[in-house]
Amino acid sequence: MRKNIIRLLMIAGIAGGLASCTKDLNQLPKNDITADQVYSTPLGYTQAMAKLYGSLALSGNEGPAGSNDLQGVPDEGNYAGFLRTFWYLQELPTDEAMIAWGDAGLQDFKNMVWSTTNPAIVGQYYRLMYEVTLSNDFLRQSTDAMLSSRNITGADADKVRQFRSEARFLRAFAYWGLMDLYGNPPFVTENDVLGAGLPKQISRADLFNYVESELKDIENTLVDAKANEYGRADKGAAWALLARLYINAKVYTGTERNGDAITYALKVINGGYTLHDNYRELLLADNDQFKDEAIFTINYDGVRTKGFGGMTFFTHASYGPPMPEPATLGVDSKWGGIRTSTDLTNLFPDNGNTDYSQFPKNFTNNTSAADKRAQFWFQGFSTTVNALTNYTDGVGVLKFRNITSTDAVGKDLGHSDADFPVFRLAEMYLIYAEATLRGGSGGALNTAINYINMLRDRAYGNTSGRVTSIDLDVVLKERARELYWEGLRRTDLIRYEQFTQGSYLWTWKGGVRAGRQTQAFRALYPLPAAEITTNPNLKQNPGY
């Protein structure tokens, strides 16, 4: 799907604008062409579906910037794309990441002082709402009655019906993001009458029930796991999102659902996926060739999907002056933006130190670090972080690189070829282990230990890293080692009651170098101020 969805997106150019307030959630996406024109042919439905997927990868219809989907969200490359702003919200307030830039609102995350007008919080909110709007419109336009009225029949109609299940998955994914980040967003489906009024607010628990019901309803209509085109949703993607939903159920609803987390993690584990044998290849420029572990991905191509968010952001912003020449890293410049601290590197043997003499040649396969998941750059950095805005205070991260497994550079040094794994098998092993330790039915401790050891065997290249017992703290640390910078850390720390609490402190947590406890309400982001002003049906989250 990678090449197909990118090509179709480039020729589609549809659904290009949405005013930045959710009063438009019950309207059609603003455009110069009508729905009857867009959906008049089978190709039109395919192009519209491409836009649903493309909205997670790109910020607009022109690359690398232009025709921003989100009217009213400034600095398109920084704040209008899904993945970049999602990463800001999920990683910057935690122990895994720091940013050196002074762009509006970015330092507020580590300091935990963000407001209702923070551009990244606003941008992520409207991106997810935009995805909901696109999905709702597609579902309205793809009923059997609408297909019949447009003389779309036979195999063409069956293809559109398959698209409907994928559109429902993408909407469920967007609503999961809104539920996780904002708690209680406005709520609209394809069944709401267009123009009938401003959207009503839904509670977090009710939204949980809706997302769960949608995913379970499409579980049997999506294509089988691993049977869809790469980058498109299938049963495995629905199972993985359900597993993630259930492991966080107590946070979302107040009630644990660990047995269900085990059930759906096992569906993925038994769905034909296997751990890729080389961890360091998982996020390289040719990672579309290593599909064994990937469950659902956001796809990029350095030539066809040019943008300043997504993987291009990761591969440029994580490289700064102390590192090798840009081309060595597969990029045209080093932005000197994001790095980590010893809070993360200390979780690895020998602090995650690396033999730089083997860089860049064969760095993917070097054996200098006991745990090969440690992909850090210490040379030229000071591990003492005196200032968040000084890039070399901290430790560099080499996890995202625009080079291939054969050390070739990506197609375009300015834009990354690597794809982002939204879900991969390793997370399901970790969910199974955690849910078992939390008392979920259907789990076996020996199996949970075995899944942890499978990850550690890959990480170490042998059995030397195996453990004989695990507890919840072991699993949380293993999640950091395995999944760092993949957009999950805030959610993990909240689930473990360590995000705002004083029981676990990290560098500059709450704006203090040694770290401090912060306000409990920071576990949810605020709804944008403009939303509260525009829609009287919405109540702001407590504390804002």
Side-chain angles (χ1 to χ4, degrees):
M1 187 61 178
R2 177 180 187 171
K3 301 302 185 291
N4 289 344
I5 207 77
I6 290 168
R7 183 174 66 251
L8 289 167
L9 183 61
M10 297 304 289
I11 64 176
I14 62 173
L18 177 69
S20 58
C21 57
T22 53
K23 66 182 181 180
D24 289 311
L25 276 174
N26 58 359
Q27 300 177 16
L28 291 172
K30 298 183 185 300
N31 207 294
D32 294 331
I33 56 178
T34 67
D36 284 337
Q37 290 174 298
V38 171
Y39 296 102
S40 61
T41 65
L43 177 60
Y45 279 93
T46 302
Q47 292 173 332
M49 195 71 223
K51 180 63 182 181
L52 265 68
Y53 282 104
S55 178
L56 295 179
L58 301 171
S59 55
N61 285 335
E62 298 177 12
S67 189
N68 186 355
D69 292 331
L70 308 182
Q71 298 175 15
V73 175
D75 195 349
E76 180 181 346
N78 203 0
Y79 301 123
F82 165 72
L83 191 53
R84 183 166 173 172
T85 52
F86 182 76
W87 191 91
Y88 284 160
L89 272 60
Q90 287 286 77
E91 296 289 350
L92 287 183
T94 77
D95 55 347
E96 288 190 351
M98 302 179 292
I99 195 163
W101 302 333
D103 302 59
L106 293 186
Q107 294 304 330
D108 292 348
F109 289 108
K110 186 67 73 181
N111 294 330
M112 291 196 180
V113 293
W114 54 77
S115 71
T116 61
T117 58
N118 181 286
I121 293 173
V122 171
Q124 173 68 188
Y125 174 88
Y126 287 125
R127 174 57 58 182
L128 292 172
M129 286 298 190
Y130 183 67
E131 185 71 15
V132 169
T133 302
L134 291 177
S135 301
N136 285 341
D137 184 46
F138 186 92
L139 292 168
R140 290 188 186 104
Q141 300 297 333
S142 58
T143 63
D144 285 346
M146 294 299 288
L147 294 177
S148 177
S149 72
R150 291 165 178 154
N151 296 314
I152 296 174
T153 60
D156 289 332
D158 290 339
K159 183 177 181 180
V160 174
R161 293 185 187 103
Q162 181 57 55
F163 284 160
R164 282 181 62 85
S165 295
E166 295 175 43
R168 290 174 70 185
F169 169 82
L170 292 171
R171 181 176 60 184
F173 177 74
Y175 270 134
W176 165 77
L178 288 161
M179 175 179 60
D180 185 86
L181 296 166
Y182 305 94
N184 313 285
F187 180 73
V188 176
T189 73
E190 77 277 17
N191 298 318
D192 289 285
V193 178
L194 290 171
L198 295 169
K200 304 293 186 182
Q201 191 167 25
I202 189 170
S203 72
R204 202 180 203 187
D206 286 343
L207 187 52
F208 175 97
N209 292 336
Y210 173 79
V211 172
E212 177 190 24
S213 65
E214 278 288 281
L215 292 171
K216 294 184 81 168
D217 196 46
I218 63 174
E219 183 180 351
N220 294 322
T221 60
L222 288 165
V223 301
D224 290 340
K226 298 182 68 68
N228 213 343
E229 293 176 283
Y230 173 70
R232 285 175 59 186
D234 56 20
K235 289 179 182 177
W239 297 336
L241 182 50
L242 278 165
R244 189 182 289 179
L245 188 75
Y246 288 133
I247 196 65
N248 290 291
K250 186 175 181 180
V251 173
Y252 300 150
T253 71
T255 301
E256 291 187 343
R257 297 285 295 275
N258 293 309
D260 291 318
I262 290 169
T263 296
Y264 279 89
L266 281 175
K267 282 179 178 280
V268 177
I269 291 167
N270 297 324
Y273 305 95
T274 57
L275 288 181
H276 182 60
D277 60 2
N278 190 326
Y279 180 89
R280 292 188 171 191
E281 291 179 343
L282 290 174
L283 288 161
L284 296 185
D286 58 347
N287 64 349
D288 60 322
Q289 302 303 308
F290 312 125
K291 305 172 185 177
D292 35 7
E293 184 169 343
I295 300 165
F296 178 63
T297 57
I298 299 174
N299 295 348
Y300 292 91
D301 182 285
V303 174
R304 294 181 175 88
T305 51
K306 293 181 182 294
F308 298 115
M311 298 299 278
T312 292
F313 163 71
F314 295 134
T315 54
H316 285 72
S318 56
Y319 301 151
M323 296 181 178
E325 290 304 308
T328 302
L329 300 161
V331 297
D332 59 357
S333 59
K334 295 182 285 189
W335 295 357
I338 54 178
R339 77 280 193 208
T340 192
S341 71
T342 55
D343 297 301
L344 176 60
T345 63
N346 284 345
L347 296 178
F348 293 84
D350 303 320
N351 300 325
N353 269 301
T354 299
D355 178 5
Y356 304 103
S357 67
Q358 299 189 59
F359 187 86
K361 205 67 175 174
N362 295 324
F363 182 79
T364 298
N365 301 301
N366 85 63
T367 58
S368 61
D371 187 330
K372 307 306 182 297
R373 295 171 298 188
Q375 298 178 84
F376 305 118
W377 188 274
F378 287 86
Q379 288 184 344
F381 284 86
S382 170
T383 55
T384 300
V385 183
N386 289 315
L388 289 171
T389 53
N390 183 7
Y391 175 71
T392 55
D393 281 9
V395 182
V397 177
L398 290 162
K399 187 170 183 174
F400 297 87
R401 284 170 284 150
N402 193 31
I403 57 174
T404 72
S405 55
T406 60
D407 293 315
V409 299
K411 300 185 190 75
D412 186 318
L413 296 182
H415 302 278
S416 178
D417 283 330
D419 303 326
F420 184 82
V422 178
F423 302 105
R424 57 186 181 88
L425 180 61
E427 183 190 354
M428 300 300 112
Y429 287 161
L430 290 159
I431 287 175
Y432 179 97
E434 181 180 337
T436 298
L437 290 168
R438 292 187 184 276
S441 60
L445 183 58
N446 287 340
T447 302
I449 293 172
N450 181 56
Y451 287 153
I452 296 296
N453 282 332
M454 289 173 69
L455 299 180
R456 295 177 69 82
D457 286 354
R458 173 175 66 176
Y460 283 73
N462 52 51
T463 61
S464 64
R466 288 191 174 183
V467 297
T468 57
S469 63
I470 59 173
D471 57 24
L472 286 172
D473 184 61
V474 168
V475 174
L476 180 62
K477 289 177 179 176
E478 198 65 25
R479 286 185 67 90
R481 285 185 284 261
E482 180 70 28
L483 301 170
Y484 68 92
W485 279 34
E486 295 185 37
L488 296 171
R489 189 59 170 173
R490 167 192 160 275
T491 301
D492 289 349
L493 291 173
I494 290 172
R495 186 173 67 255
Y496 273 78
E497 300 183 347
Q498 295 182 7
F499 183 61
T500 61
Q501 292 84 348
S503 56
Y504 174 45
L505 303 179
W506 53 84
T507 304
W508 287 105
K509 177 180 179 178
V512 175
R513 191 168 76 171
R516 69 174 178 88
Q517 181 173 334
T518 61
Q519 301 115 317
F521 72 81
R522 296 288 176 186
L524 273 182
Y525 287 112
L527 301 177
E531 289 296 270
I532 303 301
T533 301
T534 303
N535 187 349
N537 293 327
L538 303 181
K539 182 180 179 181
Q540 183 59 273
N541 288 327
Y544 295 104

PDB file of all heavy atoms in Angstrom, residues 179 204-205 208 244-258 261 434 438 494-497:
ATOM      1  N   MET A 179      -9.448  10.465  23.266  1.00  0.00           N
ATOM      2  CA  MET A 179      -9.773   9.967  24.602  1.00  0.00           C
ATOM      3  C   MET A 179      -8.528   9.921  25.484  1.00  0.00           C
ATOM      4  O   MET A 179      -8.555  10.322  26.656  1.00  0.00           O
ATOM      5  CB  MET A 179     -10.381   8.568  24.492  1.00  0.00           C
ATOM      6  CG  MET A 179     -10.649   7.885  25.822  1.00  0.00           C
ATOM      7  SD  MET A 179     -11.386   6.248  25.594  1.00  0.00           S
ATOM      8  CE  MET A 179     -10.117   5.425  24.637  1.00  0.00           C
ATOM      9  N   ARG A 204     -15.310  10.365  28.818  1.00  0.00           N
ATOM     10  CA  ARG A 204     -14.215   9.457  28.484  1.00  0.00           C
ATOM     11  C   ARG A 204     -14.667   8.004  28.539  1.00  0.00           C
ATOM     12  O   ARG A 204     -14.334   7.207  27.655  1.00  0.00           O
ATOM     13  CB  ARG A 204     -13.056   9.694  29.454  1.00  0.00           C
ATOM     14  CG  ARG A 204     -11.703   9.246  28.949  1.00  0.00           C
ATOM     15  CD  ARG A 204     -10.621   9.515  29.975  1.00  0.00           C
ATOM     16  NE  ARG A 204      -9.303   9.606  29.351  1.00  0.00           N
ATOM     17  CZ  ARG A 204      -8.169   9.704  30.027  1.00  0.00           C
ATOM     18  NH1 ARG A 204      -8.201   9.740  31.364  1.00  0.00           N
ATOM     19  NH2 ARG A 204      -7.009   9.773  29.397  1.00  0.00           N
ATOM     20  N   ALA A 205     -15.424   7.649  29.556  1.00  0.00           N
ATOM     21  CA  ALA A 205     -15.882   6.262  29.689  1.00  0.00           C
ATOM     22  C   ALA A 205     -16.819   5.880  28.556  1.00  0.00           C
ATOM     23  O   ALA A 205     -16.739   4.762  28.016  1.00  0.00           O
ATOM     24  CB  ALA A 205     -16.576   6.073  31.038  1.00  0.00           C
ATOM     25  N   PHE A 208     -14.791   5.376  25.450  1.00  0.00           N
ATOM     26  CA  PHE A 208     -14.158   4.054  25.527  1.00  0.00           C
ATOM     27  C   PHE A 208     -15.115   2.986  25.006  1.00  0.00           C
ATOM     28  O   PHE A 208     -14.740   2.145  24.182  1.00  0.00           O
ATOM     29  CB  PHE A 208     -13.759   3.749  26.969  1.00  0.00           C
ATOM     30  CG  PHE A 208     -13.198   2.374  27.189  1.00  0.00           C
ATOM     31  CD1 PHE A 208     -11.830   2.167  27.226  1.00  0.00           C
ATOM     32  CD2 PHE A 208     -14.031   1.268  27.361  1.00  0.00           C
ATOM     33  CE1 PHE A 208     -11.294   0.895  27.430  1.00  0.00           C
ATOM     34  CE2 PHE A 208     -13.527   0.000  27.562  1.00  0.00           C
ATOM     35  CZ  PHE A 208     -12.148  -0.189  27.590  1.00  0.00           C
ATOM     36  N   ARG A 244      -4.380  -2.297  23.337  1.00  0.00           N
ATOM     37  CA  ARG A 244      -3.903  -1.053  23.942  1.00  0.00           C
ATOM     38  C   ARG A 244      -5.027  -0.355  24.707  1.00  0.00           C
ATOM     39  O   ARG A 244      -4.799   0.230  25.774  1.00  0.00           O
ATOM     40  CB  ARG A 244      -3.341  -0.127  22.858  1.00  0.00           C
ATOM     41  CG  ARG A 244      -2.623   1.098  23.410  1.00  0.00           C
ATOM     42  CD  ARG A 244      -2.127   2.015  22.317  1.00  0.00           C
ATOM     43  NE  ARG A 244      -0.992   1.462  21.572  1.00  0.00           N
ATOM     44  CZ  ARG A 244      -0.411   2.096  20.552  1.00  0.00           C
ATOM     45  NH1 ARG A 244      -0.876   3.278  20.146  1.00  0.00           N
ATOM     46  NH2 ARG A 244       0.616   1.542  19.915  1.00  0.00           N
ATOM     47  N   LEU A 245      -6.219  -0.412  24.174  1.00  0.00           N
ATOM     48  CA  LEU A 245      -7.384   0.161  24.844  1.00  0.00           C
ATOM     49  C   LEU A 245      -7.609  -0.509  26.192  1.00  0.00           C
ATOM     50  O   LEU A 245      -7.792   0.152  27.225  1.00  0.00           O
ATOM     51  CB  LEU A 245      -8.607  -0.014  23.946  1.00  0.00           C
ATOM     52  CG  LEU A 245      -9.909   0.676  24.341  1.00  0.00           C
ATOM     53  CD1 LEU A 245      -9.831   2.168  24.061  1.00  0.00           C
ATOM     54  CD2 LEU A 245     -11.086   0.057  23.582  1.00  0.00           C
ATOM     55  N   TYR A 246      -7.578  -1.834  26.205  1.00  0.00           N
ATOM     56  CA  TYR A 246      -7.900  -2.582  27.419  1.00  0.00           C
ATOM     57  C   TYR A 246      -6.821  -2.454  28.491  1.00  0.00           C
ATOM     58  O   TYR A 246      -7.136  -2.417  29.685  1.00  0.00           O
ATOM     59  CB  TYR A 246      -8.121  -4.053  27.078  1.00  0.00           C
ATOM     60  CG  TYR A 246      -9.405  -4.331  26.339  1.00  0.00           C
ATOM     61  CD1 TYR A 246      -9.414  -5.158  25.205  1.00  0.00           C
ATOM     62  CD2 TYR A 246     -10.618  -3.786  26.751  1.00  0.00           C
ATOM     63  CE1 TYR A 246     -10.596  -5.430  24.517  1.00  0.00           C
ATOM     64  CE2 TYR A 246     -11.799  -4.053  26.074  1.00  0.00           C
ATOM     65  CZ  TYR A 246     -11.784  -4.868  24.958  1.00  0.00           C
ATOM     66  OH  TYR A 246     -12.946  -5.133  24.289  1.00  0.00           O
ATOM     67  N   ILE A 247      -5.543  -2.390  28.095  1.00  0.00           N
ATOM     68  CA  ILE A 247      -4.501  -2.293  29.123  1.00  0.00           C
ATOM     69  C   ILE A 247      -4.593  -0.945  29.843  1.00  0.00           C
ATOM     70  O   ILE A 247      -4.169  -0.810  30.987  1.00  0.00           O
ATOM     71  CB  ILE A 247      -3.087  -2.500  28.523  1.00  0.00           C
ATOM     72  CG1 ILE A 247      -2.069  -2.794  29.634  1.00  0.00           C
ATOM     73  CG2 ILE A 247      -2.646  -1.304  27.704  1.00  0.00           C
ATOM     74  CD1 ILE A 247      -2.294  -4.074  30.373  1.00  0.00           C
ATOM     75  N   ASN A 248      -5.203   0.045  29.186  1.00  0.00           N
ATOM     76  CA  ASN A 248      -5.381   1.367  29.792  1.00  0.00           C
ATOM     77  C   ASN A 248      -6.800   1.599  30.300  1.00  0.00           C
ATOM     78  O   ASN A 248      -7.160   2.719  30.645  1.00  0.00           O
ATOM     79  CB  ASN A 248      -5.022   2.457  28.769  1.00  0.00           C
ATOM     80  CG  ASN A 248      -3.542   2.506  28.467  1.00  0.00           C
ATOM     81  OD1 ASN A 248      -2.740   2.887  29.309  1.00  0.00           O
ATOM     82  ND2 ASN A 248      -3.166   2.103  27.256  1.00  0.00           N
ATOM     83  N   ALA A 249      -7.610   0.551  30.372  1.00  0.00           N
ATOM     84  CA  ALA A 249      -9.033   0.708  30.680  1.00  0.00           C
ATOM     85  C   ALA A 249      -9.270   1.351  32.042  1.00  0.00           C
ATOM     86  O   ALA A 249     -10.203   2.147  32.212  1.00  0.00           O
ATOM     87  CB  ALA A 249      -9.741  -0.643  30.606  1.00  0.00           C
ATOM     88  N   LYS A 250      -8.464   1.021  33.022  1.00  0.00           N
ATOM     89  CA  LYS A 250      -8.679   1.608  34.350  1.00  0.00           C
ATOM     90  C   LYS A 250      -8.507   3.118  34.321  1.00  0.00           C
ATOM     91  O   LYS A 250      -9.251   3.859  34.980  1.00  0.00           O
ATOM     92  CB  LYS A 250      -7.735   0.986  35.378  1.00  0.00           C
ATOM     93  CG  LYS A 250      -8.018   1.464  36.799  1.00  0.00           C
ATOM     94  CD  LYS A 250      -7.162   0.750  37.836  1.00  0.00           C
ATOM     95  CE  LYS A 250      -7.500   1.246  39.238  1.00  0.00           C
ATOM     96  NZ  LYS A 250      -6.671   0.561  40.273  1.00  0.00           N
ATOM     97  N   VAL A 251      -7.537   3.603  33.548  1.00  0.00           N
ATOM     98  CA  VAL A 251      -7.342   5.049  33.411  1.00  0.00           C
ATOM     99  C   VAL A 251      -8.541   5.669  32.709  1.00  0.00           C
ATOM    100  O   VAL A 251      -9.040   6.730  33.104  1.00  0.00           O
ATOM    101  CB  VAL A 251      -6.050   5.348  32.626  1.00  0.00           C
ATOM    102  CG1 VAL A 251      -5.921   6.849  32.331  1.00  0.00           C
ATOM    103  CG2 VAL A 251      -4.829   4.856  33.391  1.00  0.00           C
ATOM    104  N   TYR A 252      -9.016   5.015  31.672  1.00  0.00           N
ATOM    105  CA  TYR A 252     -10.089   5.586  30.862  1.00  0.00           C
ATOM    106  C   TYR A 252     -11.462   5.476  31.516  1.00  0.00           C
ATOM    107  O   TYR A 252     -12.315   6.338  31.308  1.00  0.00           O
ATOM    108  CB  TYR A 252     -10.141   4.899  29.501  1.00  0.00           C
ATOM    109  CG  TYR A 252      -8.887   5.014  28.668  1.00  0.00           C
ATOM    110  CD1 TYR A 252      -8.536   4.010  27.773  1.00  0.00           C
ATOM    111  CD2 TYR A 252      -8.047   6.126  28.754  1.00  0.00           C
ATOM    112  CE1 TYR A 252      -7.401   4.100  26.986  1.00  0.00           C
ATOM    113  CE2 TYR A 252      -6.901   6.219  27.983  1.00  0.00           C
ATOM    114  CZ  TYR A 252      -6.571   5.203  27.090  1.00  0.00           C
ATOM    115  OH  TYR A 252      -5.450   5.292  26.322  1.00  0.00           O
ATOM    116  N   THR A 253     -11.694   4.398  32.261  1.00  0.00           N
ATOM    117  CA  THR A 253     -13.047   4.135  32.758  1.00  0.00           C
ATOM    118  C   THR A 253     -13.122   3.904  34.261  1.00  0.00           C
ATOM    119  O   THR A 253     -14.226   3.897  34.819  1.00  0.00           O
ATOM    120  CB  THR A 253     -13.642   2.892  32.073  1.00  0.00           C
ATOM    121  OG1 THR A 253     -12.969   1.714  32.549  1.00  0.00           O
ATOM    122  CG2 THR A 253     -13.522   2.979  30.563  1.00  0.00           C
ATOM    123  N   GLY A 254     -12.008   3.645  34.915  1.00  0.00           N
ATOM    124  CA  GLY A 254     -12.012   3.297  36.329  1.00  0.00           C
ATOM    125  C   GLY A 254     -12.106   1.808  36.588  1.00  0.00           C
ATOM    126  O   GLY A 254     -12.040   1.365  37.744  1.00  0.00           O
ATOM    127  N   THR A 255     -12.238   0.996  35.530  1.00  0.00           N
ATOM    128  CA  THR A 255     -12.385  -0.449  35.672  1.00  0.00           C
ATOM    129  C   THR A 255     -11.309  -1.167  34.873  1.00  0.00           C
ATOM    130  O   THR A 255     -11.124  -0.882  33.684  1.00  0.00           O
ATOM    131  CB  THR A 255     -13.773  -0.911  35.180  1.00  0.00           C
ATOM    132  OG1 THR A 255     -14.788  -0.233  35.935  1.00  0.00           O
ATOM    133  CG2 THR A 255     -13.938  -2.416  35.348  1.00  0.00           C
ATOM    134  N   GLU A 256     -10.607  -2.096  35.495  1.00  0.00           N
ATOM    135  CA  GLU A 256      -9.568  -2.853  34.785  1.00  0.00           C
ATOM    136  C   GLU A 256     -10.197  -3.831  33.793  1.00  0.00           C
ATOM    137  O   GLU A 256     -11.261  -4.403  34.035  1.00  0.00           O
ATOM    138  CB  GLU A 256      -8.695  -3.611  35.786  1.00  0.00           C
ATOM    139  CG  GLU A 256      -7.832  -2.699  36.644  1.00  0.00           C
ATOM    140  CD  GLU A 256      -6.848  -3.465  37.513  1.00  0.00           C
ATOM    141  OE1 GLU A 256      -7.052  -4.683  37.693  1.00  0.00           O
ATOM    142  OE2 GLU A 256      -5.881  -2.849  38.002  1.00  0.00           O
ATOM    143  N   ARG A 257      -9.505  -4.026  32.673  1.00  0.00           N
ATOM    144  CA  ARG A 257      -9.937  -4.984  31.662  1.00  0.00           C
ATOM    145  C   ARG A 257      -8.726  -5.812  31.221  1.00  0.00           C
ATOM    146  O   ARG A 257      -8.497  -6.023  30.033  1.00  0.00           O
ATOM    147  CB  ARG A 257     -10.544  -4.251  30.460  1.00  0.00           C
ATOM    148  CG  ARG A 257     -11.795  -3.446  30.763  1.00  0.00           C
ATOM    149  CD  ARG A 257     -13.016  -4.303  30.959  1.00  0.00           C
ATOM    150  NE  ARG A 257     -13.376  -5.016  29.738  1.00  0.00           N
ATOM    151  CZ  ARG A 257     -14.138  -4.494  28.767  1.00  0.00           C
ATOM    152  NH1 ARG A 257     -14.611  -3.262  28.880  1.00  0.00           N
ATOM    153  NH2 ARG A 257     -14.437  -5.211  27.713  1.00  0.00           N
ATOM    154  N   ASN A 258      -7.953  -6.265  32.195  1.00  0.00           N
ATOM    155  CA  ASN A 258      -6.693  -6.940  31.869  1.00  0.00           C
ATOM    156  C   ASN A 258      -6.907  -8.283  31.179  1.00  0.00           C
ATOM    157  O   ASN A 258      -6.089  -8.689  30.342  1.00  0.00           O
ATOM    158  CB  ASN A 258      -5.859  -7.115  33.137  1.00  0.00           C
ATOM    159  CG  ASN A 258      -5.389  -5.777  33.686  1.00  0.00           C
ATOM    160  OD1 ASN A 258      -4.822  -4.978  32.956  1.00  0.00           O
ATOM    161  ND2 ASN A 258      -5.661  -5.509  34.955  1.00  0.00           N
ATOM    162  N   ALA A 261      -7.311  -7.454  27.658  1.00  0.00           N
ATOM    163  CA  ALA A 261      -6.013  -7.079  27.080  1.00  0.00           C
ATOM    164  C   ALA A 261      -5.226  -8.320  26.689  1.00  0.00           C
ATOM    165  O   ALA A 261      -4.601  -8.370  25.621  1.00  0.00           O
ATOM    166  CB  ALA A 261      -5.222  -6.227  28.074  1.00  0.00           C
ATOM    167  N   GLU A 434       2.269  -7.435  31.150  1.00  0.00           N
ATOM    168  CA  GLU A 434       1.743  -6.509  32.149  1.00  0.00           C
ATOM    169  C   GLU A 434       0.347  -6.913  32.605  1.00  0.00           C
ATOM    170  O   GLU A 434       0.041  -6.910  33.808  1.00  0.00           O
ATOM    171  CB  GLU A 434       1.718  -5.090  31.585  1.00  0.00           C
ATOM    172  CG  GLU A 434       1.205  -4.060  32.567  1.00  0.00           C
ATOM    173  CD  GLU A 434       1.192  -2.658  32.003  1.00  0.00           C
ATOM    174  OE1 GLU A 434       1.961  -2.371  31.050  1.00  0.00           O
ATOM    175  OE2 GLU A 434       0.402  -1.831  32.514  1.00  0.00           O
ATOM    176  N   ARG A 438      -1.017  -7.952  36.318  1.00  0.00           N
ATOM    177  CA  ARG A 438      -2.110  -7.197  36.934  1.00  0.00           C
ATOM    178  C   ARG A 438      -3.322  -8.088  37.217  1.00  0.00           C
ATOM    179  O   ARG A 438      -4.374  -7.586  37.602  1.00  0.00           O
ATOM    180  CB  ARG A 438      -2.500  -6.021  36.045  1.00  0.00           C
ATOM    181  CG  ARG A 438      -1.440  -4.926  35.955  1.00  0.00           C
ATOM    182  CD  ARG A 438      -1.939  -3.702  35.201  1.00  0.00           C
ATOM    183  NE  ARG A 438      -0.901  -2.701  35.034  1.00  0.00           N
ATOM    184  CZ  ARG A 438      -0.565  -1.778  35.936  1.00  0.00           C
ATOM    185  NH1 ARG A 438      -1.214  -1.741  37.091  1.00  0.00           N
ATOM    186  NH2 ARG A 438       0.393  -0.899  35.691  1.00  0.00           N
ATOM    187  N   ILE A 494       1.291   7.385  33.042  1.00  0.00           N
ATOM    188  CA  ILE A 494      -0.009   7.645  33.665  1.00  0.00           C
ATOM    189  C   ILE A 494      -0.608   6.347  34.188  1.00  0.00           C
ATOM    190  O   ILE A 494      -1.123   6.287  35.310  1.00  0.00           O
ATOM    191  CB  ILE A 494      -0.952   8.326  32.655  1.00  0.00           C
ATOM    192  CG1 ILE A 494      -0.488   9.758  32.376  1.00  0.00           C
ATOM    193  CG2 ILE A 494      -2.391   8.323  33.174  1.00  0.00           C
ATOM    194  CD1 ILE A 494      -1.231  10.448  31.256  1.00  0.00           C
ATOM    195  N   ARG A 495      -0.537   5.300  33.386  1.00  0.00           N
ATOM    196  CA  ARG A 495      -1.093   4.002  33.795  1.00  0.00           C
ATOM    197  C   ARG A 495      -0.393   3.479  35.045  1.00  0.00           C
ATOM    198  O   ARG A 495      -1.006   2.842  35.906  1.00  0.00           O
ATOM    199  CB  ARG A 495      -0.964   3.013  32.641  1.00  0.00           C
ATOM    200  CG  ARG A 495      -1.632   1.670  32.883  1.00  0.00           C
ATOM    201  CD  ARG A 495      -1.615   0.794  31.653  1.00  0.00           C
ATOM    202  NE  ARG A 495      -0.289   0.346  31.262  1.00  0.00           N
ATOM    203  CZ  ARG A 495       0.396   0.841  30.223  1.00  0.00           C
ATOM    204  NH1 ARG A 495      -0.107   1.807  29.466  1.00  0.00           N
ATOM    205  NH2 ARG A 495       1.592   0.371  29.926  1.00  0.00           N
ATOM    206  N   TYR A 496       0.883   3.740  35.180  1.00  0.00           N
ATOM    207  CA  TYR A 496       1.671   3.302  36.334  1.00  0.00           C
ATOM    208  C   TYR A 496       1.638   4.315  37.482  1.00  0.00           C
ATOM    209  O   TYR A 496       2.345   4.140  38.462  1.00  0.00           O
ATOM    210  CB  TYR A 496       3.115   3.063  35.905  1.00  0.00           C
ATOM    211  CG  TYR A 496       3.382   1.674  35.370  1.00  0.00           C
ATOM    212  CD1 TYR A 496       3.005   1.315  34.083  1.00  0.00           C
ATOM    213  CD2 TYR A 496       4.019   0.721  36.153  1.00  0.00           C
ATOM    214  CE1 TYR A 496       3.256   0.041  33.584  1.00  0.00           C
ATOM    215  CE2 TYR A 496       4.279  -0.548  35.674  1.00  0.00           C
ATOM    216  CZ  TYR A 496       3.889  -0.882  34.384  1.00  0.00           C
ATOM    217  OH  TYR A 496       4.137  -2.151  33.901  1.00  0.00           O
ATOM    218  N   GLU A 497       0.840   5.368  37.339  1.00  0.00           N
ATOM    219  CA  GLU A 497       0.697   6.401  38.363  1.00  0.00           C
ATOM    220  C   GLU A 497       2.037   7.042  38.711  1.00  0.00           C
ATOM    221  O   GLU A 497       2.365   7.270  39.881  1.00  0.00           O
ATOM    222  CB  GLU A 497       0.016   5.828  39.618  1.00  0.00           C
ATOM    223  CG  GLU A 497      -1.384   5.287  39.336  1.00  0.00           C
ATOM    224  CD  GLU A 497      -2.091   4.774  40.582  1.00  0.00           C
ATOM    225  OE1 GLU A 497      -1.412   4.600  41.620  1.00  0.00           O
ATOM    226  OE2 GLU A 497      -3.305   4.546  40.509  1.00  0.00           O
TER     227      GLU A 497
END
